[in-house]
């Protein structure tokens, strides 16, 4: 007789989905993602690893697929693009400020 299950199927599915989402965001290892998600939902990271193995097969994790890699790259590029847009806005504002100061200086002579 198998041991009773501590977690229901819904909890397992939610944990796997959260793990996939966290890897897609990027900037984190698989082990760190398991620890983070495990702490959030109160599941041992090794338990989560077992669920992932059963879901995706031995040695295959969602991050190993091309689609996941591509979506992680897209997310990274979007973050970088947003950061560059903020930097451009700062530079435009500074440029306008210094242009106005130069004009005031020339008019004041």
């Amino acid at each position: 007789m198998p041991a009773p299950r501590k977690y229901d199927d819904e909890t397992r599915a939610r944990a796997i989905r959260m793990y996939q989402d966290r890897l897609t965001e990027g900037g984190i290892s698989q082990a760190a993602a398991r620890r983070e998600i495990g702490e959030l939902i109160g599941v041992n990271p090794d338990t989560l690893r077992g669920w992932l193995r059963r879901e995706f097969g031995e040695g295959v994790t969602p991050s190993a697929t091309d689609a996941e890699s591509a979506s992680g790259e897209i997310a990274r590029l979007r973050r970088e693009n947003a950061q560059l847009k903020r930097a451009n806005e700062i530079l435009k504002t500074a440029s306008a400020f210094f242009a106005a100061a130069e004009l005031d200086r020339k008019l004041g002579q």
Side-chain angles (χ1 to χ4, degrees), residues 19 22-23 28-40 43-50 52 61:
Y19 172 79
R22 184 61 181 100
L23 284 180
I28 192 168
S29 69
Q30 293 176 2
R34 285 193 305 267
R35 279 192 304 272
E36 186 178 298
I37 300 306
E39 287 177 13
L40 285 173
V43 172
N44 186 315
D46 289 329
T47 302
L48 181 54
R49 185 174 51 128
L52 291 163
T61 59

Side-chain angles (χ1 to χ4, degrees), residues 19-95:
Y19 172 79
Q20 289 173 319
D21 291 344
R22 184 61 181 100
L23 284 180
T24 301
E25 290 173 11
I28 192 168
S29 69
Q30 293 176 2
R34 285 193 305 267
R35 279 192 304 272
E36 186 178 298
I37 300 306
E39 287 177 13
L40 285 173
I41 61 175
V43 172
N44 186 315
D46 289 329
T47 302
L48 181 54
R49 185 174 51 128
W51 294 346
L52 291 163
R53 282 186 174 170
R54 265 185 250 121
E55 181 77 20
F56 298 105
E58 191 68 32
V60 178
T61 59
S63 67
T65 65
D66 289 338
E68 290 293 314
S69 298
S71 64
E73 179 71 7
I74 289 171
R76 184 189 65 78
L77 291 171
R78 285 184 178 157
R79 284 191 303 273
E80 183 179 347
N81 190 28
Q83 183 180 18
L84 292 171
K85 284 181 178 181
R86 286 190 299 272
N88 278 340
E89 288 301 318
I90 291 169
L91 291 172
K92 285 179 187 177
T93 303
S95 176

